[in-house]
Amino acid sequence: PEIGDLMYVIPLFSLNKGMAHQRSFVDVRFLQTAQGVVVVPKVDDAAIFAGSTGLEIRGAQQTGMRFSSDDMFTYLAKNKIAKDPMEQILDVGVWSLGSGEAFWNTTNDLIKKAAQAPKESRTIDRLILARHYFANGFYPETLGVLRVMAADDPRVSNKAPFLALRGAANFMMRRFEEAVRDLSDPSLRKSRDADFWRAAAKASASKHPELFFDPMKANMGVLQTYPEDIKMRLALTGLRSSILKRDELAVQNFLEIVGTKHASPAVTAERDFLFALWQGYLGMYTPAIKMMEKLENGTEYKYHAFGGMEKMRMEGHLKRANPKTRVKTAQELMYAWRDGDFEYNLMTQLVAAFEEEKDYAQVLYLLKDMQSRYHDRDEVRDIPKMMEEVFRKLYLDEESGDRLPPVKAI
């Protein structure tokens, strides 16, 4: 302070919680404290955010705090893995043996080597080929090589490296139940990578992904060296879970991972949708609705539908759109995306809009349709009671225009 240093002082509610020793990093320095945290930026564009779930520090270009370069991460990844391929689990960051223009030459060499390998090394050569395919986004080819391996030597299909790779490939192909089955094998219990993948697969297969949030939060560091496409898919799964768990710090961390400018249009649309969903949860409805409207008018079919539905829900919550407008929007979206959860949620909102309009005949018709179409969902247990209430409003109440005599109503 005597020389004009900028310092951020962050109090902590818990007593006797501070920094036992001074720590210095590339972007910031932490001073020794008895209570609370004191951060001294070492670069001009460092930003410090204190949230209800922790402290977040962003370094240069609003990226995460730099502990070392990306090259160092790759170096560490390559040097921490076991030399024997059959002892490696999910060291995905070092599996690609050639990408870009060199990919096909490298792939042809690996195929030739696996085809000509003697029996004692054939399994390992095929595993290296399958991993190379996986790291470069060729997931069906990965499973094809693994299938040949298992047919040639059934014992290999019970090995941890085989199960981990097959589970990961199934996850990337959105075969989540198969992925969970492989990644839940006891032989993978001591792998941090497998812990993240297992939680991501369970979250993707569940209607409540937040239940599997903790293992993803605890192990998100494993994504650092993964290839971009794989990192994105896993981080988006973590982002969805952290949003539903309402964990501010984890949301920001996963957003940074998926915030790359190299993202595909599909990934960008999913990221924008989840970010707008998070803004809505925080009560920031104006930017959230604006983003949902952008997605609704975009070219990504799924998020055209989901963005439109969420915009309708938010506007209904704020009373910005009258029931008639919401009915029109819901009817336009009815066949925009064929998915049970989407259609059920859309019909639920349509019921609410018709009910606000006091169009009880339409409400009753929709509830009957939902009862028959979604009879296996837990939520439909409340529908008969709702139908009784709507029937009463429609046919039995004094003010009803369609009031029936009691005997006929029965």
Side-chain angles (χ1 to χ4, degrees):
E2 291 85 359
I3 59 172
D5 283 347
L6 175 63
M7 306 171 78
Y8 291 89
V9 180
I10 299 96
L12 299 176
F13 290 109
S14 302
L15 296 177
N16 301 317
K17 296 291 185 182
M19 297 291 293
H21 304 284
Q22 178 172 293
R23 302 287 302 276
S24 186
F25 299 98
V26 179
D27 298 311
V28 298
R29 182 161 54 99
F30 294 87
L31 300 186
Q32 184 179 12
T33 59
Q35 176 70 29
V37 180
V38 177
V39 184
V40 181
K42 295 167 71 174
V43 293
D44 291 337
D45 51 359
I48 289 86
F49 302 92
S52 60
T53 55
L55 176 67
E56 179 188 358
I57 299 173
R58 297 187 186 181
Q61 287 82 50
Q62 291 296 291
T63 59
M65 212 169 74
R66 293 173 294 173
F67 295 92
S68 56
S69 69
D70 290 340
D71 290 341
M72 179 59 74
F73 276 119
T74 304
Y75 171 79
L76 291 172
K78 287 184 176 179
N79 281 273
K80 78 177 178 68
I81 62 173
K83 299 301 180 185
D84 182 0
M86 291 304 292
E87 292 181 9
Q88 299 168 17
I89 302 298
L90 280 164
D91 301 294
V92 185
V94 295
W95 282 353
S96 177
L97 302 176
S99 56
E101 294 181 3
F103 171 78
W104 291 112
N105 290 332
T106 304
T107 303
N108 288 334
D109 291 341
L110 291 173
I111 292 172
K112 193 178 297 183
K113 185 177 180 182
Q116 297 174 354
K119 188 173 182 179
E120 58 271 16
S121 65
R122 193 179 300 152
T123 295
I124 289 178
D125 288 328
R126 285 171 173 168
L127 181 62
I128 292 171
L129 172 62
R131 286 172 168 173
H132 170 70
Y133 271 136
F134 179 78
N136 285 282
F138 289 78
Y139 311 119
E141 288 79 1
T142 302
L143 292 173
V145 175
L146 292 176
R147 199 172 293 120
V148 170
M149 289 172 61
D152 194 38
D153 182 5
R155 294 171 302 173
V156 76
S157 61
N158 296 317
K159 302 285 187 182
F162 180 97
L163 291 167
L165 180 55
R166 188 171 66 183
N170 276 321
F171 174 87
M172 295 303 294
M173 293 186 67
R174 299 178 182 271
R175 298 172 178 173
F176 300 123
E177 292 181 2
E178 291 94 327
V180 170
R181 193 159 50 243
D182 281 337
L183 293 165
S184 298
D185 191 83
S187 63
L188 298 174
R189 289 293 176 185
K190 294 183 179 179
S191 166
R192 288 186 63 212
D193 294 83
D195 286 347
F196 190 105
W197 282 88
R198 186 186 313 112
K202 288 181 177 180
S204 300
S206 172
K207 293 180 181 178
H208 301 284
E210 68 276 11
L211 298 177
F212 309 99
F213 163 73
D214 289 338
M216 287 188 278
K217 180 182 179 181
N219 298 294
M220 70 169 71
V222 303
L223 304 181
Q224 183 66 46
T225 60
Y226 281 14
E228 206 67 23
D229 288 347
I230 297 173
K231 182 195 300 184
M232 288 287 180
R233 176 47 43 208
L234 291 168
L236 285 167
T237 306
L239 177 58
R240 184 179 293 274
S241 296
S242 58
I243 287 172
L244 295 173
K245 192 73 173 180
R246 308 293 200 271
D247 189 308
E248 284 181 62
L249 192 56
V251 168
Q252 291 300 327
N253 286 334
F254 281 120
L255 277 171
E256 282 186 6
I257 295 173
V258 300
T260 173
K261 60 186 177 183
H262 303 298
S264 67
V267 167
T268 300
E270 186 172 357
R271 179 194 64 204
D272 290 348
F273 173 79
L274 291 173
F275 182 56
L277 208 60
W278 175 241
Q279 288 178 312
Y281 287 148
L282 294 177
M284 302 166 62
Y285 287 109
T286 299
I289 290 173
K290 187 175 180 181
M291 178 58 73
M292 292 300 184
E293 187 172 13
K294 179 183 174 184
L295 291 167
E296 183 185 19
N297 296 325
T299 56
E300 289 297 320
Y301 289 116
K302 180 175 181 178
Y303 292 100
H304 153 71
F306 278 76
M309 182 175 69
E310 283 300 320
K311 186 192 83 166
M312 180 179 66
R313 181 185 66 80
M314 291 179 186
E315 288 182 335
H317 176 74
L318 297 175
K319 308 297 183 187
R320 289 187 184 178
N322 60 48
K324 197 168 187 176
T325 302
R326 284 157 43 214
V327 166
K328 183 174 182 292
T329 302
Q331 289 174 334
E332 289 173 350
L333 291 171
M334 190 59 72
Y335 301 103
W337 188 256
R338 306 302 293 171
D339 172 79
D341 287 340
F342 171 79
E343 291 173 305
Y344 181 85
N345 292 331
L346 190 63
M347 290 178 78
T348 301
Q349 292 194 43
L350 192 53
V351 164
F354 274 130
E355 197 159 13
E356 281 186 50
E357 279 199 306
K358 294 185 168 49
D359 190 344
Y360 297 120
Q362 284 292 344
V363 172
L364 193 60
Y365 171 78
L366 281 169
L367 288 174
K368 287 170 64 179
D369 191 21
M370 292 169 71
Q371 175 81 359
S372 61
R373 288 174 63 181
Y374 304 108
H375 56 86
D376 55 341
R377 296 178 70 103
D378 292 338
E379 300 94 320
V380 300
R381 288 180 298 187
D382 298 328
I383 287 182
K385 187 176 179 182
M386 294 169 65
M387 290 174 69
E388 286 180 17
E389 180 66 18
V390 172
F391 187 87
R392 181 185 61 76
K393 290 177 180 178
L394 185 59
Y395 295 122
L396 302 181
D397 282 358
E398 291 290 340
E399 62 271 21
S400 170
D402 298 315
R403 190 168 183 269
L404 298 175
V407 174
K408 188 173 182 182
I410 291 170

